[in-house]
Amino acid sequence: MSDSRIVSCGLLTLALALPSLATAGQHGRASVDSVIPEGPLSAHSGSPADWPEPLYDDAIFSQVMVDRLEYRDSAGAPNAWLWDAQGWVGNDTQRFWWKSEGEGPINGGSPESSNLELLYSRIISPFWNLQAGVRQNFNPDPDRRFAVIGLQGLAPLMLETDTALYVSDDGDVSMGAEFEYDMLLTQRWVLQPRMEVSASLQDVPEYGLRQGLNSSEVGLRLRYELMREISPYIGVSHERDHDHDESTTALVVGLRAWY
Amino acid sequence: MTSRVTDESRRRLLLALAGTGALAGLEALLPGYARGAPLTPRAGNAAQVNGGVPGPVLLDFDVRRERVAIAGGHGSGITINRSIPAPLVELWEGQQAHLRIHNHLDEDTSIHWHGLLLPFQMDGVPGVSFPGIAPGETFEVRFPVRQSGTYWYHSHSGMQEQKGLTGPLVVHPASPHRVTADREFVVMLNDWTFDDPHRIMARLKSSGEYYNFNQRTVGDFFDAVEKEGWAATVRDRLAWNNMRMSPRDIADVTGATYSYLMNGLHPAVGWEGVFRPGERIRLRVINASAMTYFNFRIPGLAMTVVGADGEQVEPVDTDEFQIGVAETYDVIVEPQADRAYTLVAESMDRSGQALGTLTPRPGMRAAVPDLRKPPQRTMMDMGMDHGGMAGMAGMSGMTHGASASKGMDHGGMAGMSGMNHGASASKGMDHGGMAGMNHGAMEAGGGMGPVVGQHGPGDHGPGNINVAETLRYRLGEPGTGLEDVGHRVLTYSQLRNVRPMRDQRPPSRTIELHLTGNMERYMWSFDGVKYSESEPIDIVLGDRIRLVLINDTMMEHPIHLHGMFMELENGQGDRLPFKHTLSVLPASRASLLLTADEPGRWAFHCHLLYHMDAGMFRVVRVAPAEVLSHV
């Protein structure tokens, strides 16, 4: 670096007195007047407002995740198919989030259960999203709607957690929670224990729900990540209907996929 | 100001660019009869630095998107003068540079001259120094060359540097080198991917560990049990899992998608530099990658580091160095034997390596070392330290007292209102006093540096996962994964300027910035604030500033200031080395001095491309106080 790096006060005053030039001054430096341009400025760069920004860090991204798309072979119950999918679109802090689950017999007939949730999701801490929105059931009770408030994120011990509180249009309160944990056997073989529960705050006779635990599922799935986005899996799933005191165990085979 | 381009300099240019595959783009400079058919775009360019007669330089840069043969395949890349990497540019100190950029893309482009001192309008950052170069347009860059050394150039638009728009830039000194060499090569390192960088970003936003195929597995757990016992292993796993972090989080983007190139060539091909035994060779090592730190070594050959970030340092003999993204190192090697030597640039996460050969005869090869075992982060990298401030006992050179916080000026924190910057500086420690410390003790063992502070209150919001409670001085460390390699490794604290500090004034103001991030959501920022939520940092022209960087994340970040060199406070008294890019280790506190003598709007950002694009970026404004007060 040449010795002209040090600007003496005299030079500086001189430079201020000179008409500003947009290009190099005598020492290859910009004129001081060019640092703050005329007219409206970008609040972030201080450059003219009609220039593009140097980067767009508030871009919209999205994801669609089919966590479970599976065939269930159960002893003593009709074989069934199931889907469990969700997706989001938005920026780092605010996202529109949808979730849908459903299950039905494999040999035709309408699904036993299916629903769709539409939610607004907002990041409230590094690992957690607060979600609020509506849920519509299509089966078995297509007239049932709920207001939803939920908390979704990554709990300590690396538990993928999805919890929600539901208030039906009749004012009945229930809740649901799902937990998943990824255990890496290798870089591509992943063993995933999974637990899901739902509970009611009160009896809801017309829908056959009793106060307390209504249903629970414990599962163990072994997936192979062909690529991060595509993983076929096999596993076992034990479901329990606490209202009717019935339980089924199923061998499952399915696909986890996202984009 | 016009520069007269003589036939002589035209011939010199052609000579310099002969064989670079770049001649097609210089047609404007060629007489009609010499114009041949355009060359097929081809990766790889000549890396020999030819020098020649000093003079003004006029160069044309034709930016195109085309299919190139690269990294063992074919893909879409962004070429300059039909070449990836972009051709070697040689300039002369004290002469004029006139560089014309012609945009043949269907999107805006730009070229930033990384590390060069020039008027900010020429600095090539769209939206900061100029509006960018629209499709079909030409932008002319003119500046007097005021320095010498090893630099590089790259696009600052739309992730184009990930797709090939990076090139080496060498400025020859006006007076002969202090350190002479018989032969000079550029060794430029890149991380090439056939993927679309925007897709890579989208994947990272969905899954921060998408490219990490080196996670801890059940097998690793049982290995650890065998070594350390059940209790310790379970405790360790619980600790990491509770923090929801991975000690194997070394690189965001890895060899799972990257091919690591040396001078544009895939390791299977390997770049080759031919030498005569007994010659002194200057290697100008440039990390021009988007995301990859490299460990550089030449098995069987010692290196002498003589330059860092283009500026000269007192010679340091070493066997290996870690080079952060956007840094450059000049090394001298003197191979005596009539044999080949392998140049190894291993990615820091050990997911791949770029390779080359110095050889007395073309085609001759030396053994290629295997990739070494991947490193792991420790709890120290997280800023956890149960010893608290105990580590400060040995720091006799430090001034304790409340005085340091008295002089702090938070004026530079504009746009960060609501944040609590109560970090270590307010603990009343004078880190300027660290200059007199002897860090020799750390260089031997490669252990963690001493504790120099505690993080204050405030967690920088949802965009930041980790807060480094215990901050360390880590300039004496060799870099992640190089603690126990069994040979000499360069550390920042060994870098000593060949010239004494010109500006001896004590800093009149301290600007403290925390490096923050959220790997889970792939958010990156300073102080938890993204660029789009920030305001410029204003510095009065001519002021002497202390810039304190505190890394709250568990990864290193290469922090780059455009337009001005920073002086790293590394304990070298009045011989602090100049840096344009500083790699800040996890849970560490680094301080730099800066004389703000270049008026302008300058970009300041993390040079990991996807971190910058996620918002780890600021504009620094330098102008007289009365000009700044008009805003």
Side-chain angles (χ1 to χ4, degrees), chain A residues 172-201:
Chain A
D172 301 317
V173 181
S174 56
M175 57 151 294
E178 291 179 31
F179 307 93
E180 289 177 349
Y181 178 73
D182 280 353
M183 189 185 291
L184 272 65
L185 304 182
T186 70
Q187 298 304 325
R188 291 182 185 270
W189 286 101
V190 182
L191 190 65
Q192 185 195 63
R194 180 170 192 288
M195 193 177 121
E196 184 172 358
V197 293
S198 65
S200 267
L201 208 65

Side-chain angles (χ1 to χ4, degrees), chain A residues 194-215:
Chain A
R194 180 170 192 288
M195 193 177 121
E196 184 172 358
V197 293
S198 65
S200 267
L201 208 65
Q202 65 287 298
D203 292 345
V204 190
E206 70 242 58
Y207 297 109
L209 298 173
R210 274 192 280 181
Q211 186 184 5
L213 207 54
N214 304 123
S215 66

Side-chain angles (χ1 to χ4, degrees), chain B residues 250-328:
Chain B
I250 306 293
D252 297 354
V253 189
T254 68
T257 184
Y258 281 151
S259 302
Y260 301 111
L261 311 182
M262 187 176 291
N263 289 329
L265 295 171
H266 190 267
V269 181
W271 172 77
E272 188 178 77
V274 178
F275 73 94
R276 287 194 202 90
E279 280 182 331
R280 284 166 61 81
I281 305 165
R282 177 188 289 260
L283 300 177
R284 300 173 176 269
V285 185
I286 302 167
N287 187 347
S289 64
M291 291 294 282
T292 308
Y293 275 54
F294 290 100
N295 303 322
F296 187 85
R297 70 192 196 274
I298 311 173
L301 197 57
M303 303 180 278
T304 305
V305 178
V306 296
D309 284 6
E311 293 289 328
Q312 298 175 72
V313 294
E314 295 288 351
V316 181
D317 293 335
T318 197
D319 299 307
E320 184 164 17
F321 58 83
Q322 188 161 92
I323 181 168
V325 173
E327 293 186 294
T328 72

